[in-house]
Amino acid sequence: MIVKTPLILGALVLAASACANQTPAQQHEVACITGSFTGALLGGAAGSLIGGGTGRDIAIAAGSVAGGYAGQRYSCG
């Protein structure tokens, strides 16, 4: 988990800096993609805390899908 946190933060900083010289429509698209990606990461991380073995793999996949969907709904409106 120590290695993943700087990578996630770095990806968010790059996504935010990519919006600097873009039109509002482009900024909205980047926000949608960033929200979906972040949601999927957080959902997968939450899913990894559940169960063990094959059940954990299923929980990670389900958490990623649900988190990606929730992140997309939140960031895209």
Side-chain angles (χ1 to χ4, degrees):
M1 188 65 167
I2 294 172
V3 175
K4 293 180 185 178
T5 303
L7 292 176
I8 293 169
L9 291 176
L12 291 174
V13 168
L14 285 174
S17 66
C19 292
N21 296 323
Q22 295 181 345
T23 66
Q26 291 171 326
Q27 290 176 354
H28 179 71
E29 184 177 347
V30 169
C32 287
I33 292 168
T34 304
S36 299
F37 181 72
T38 303
L41 284 176
L42 294 175
S48 72
L49 301 174
I50 299 171
T54 305
R56 175 175 278 170
D57 295 340
I58 293 169
I60 291 170
S64 294
V65 170
Y69 177 75
Q72 187 269 340
R73 294 283 296 183
Y74 177 75
S75 62
C76 296

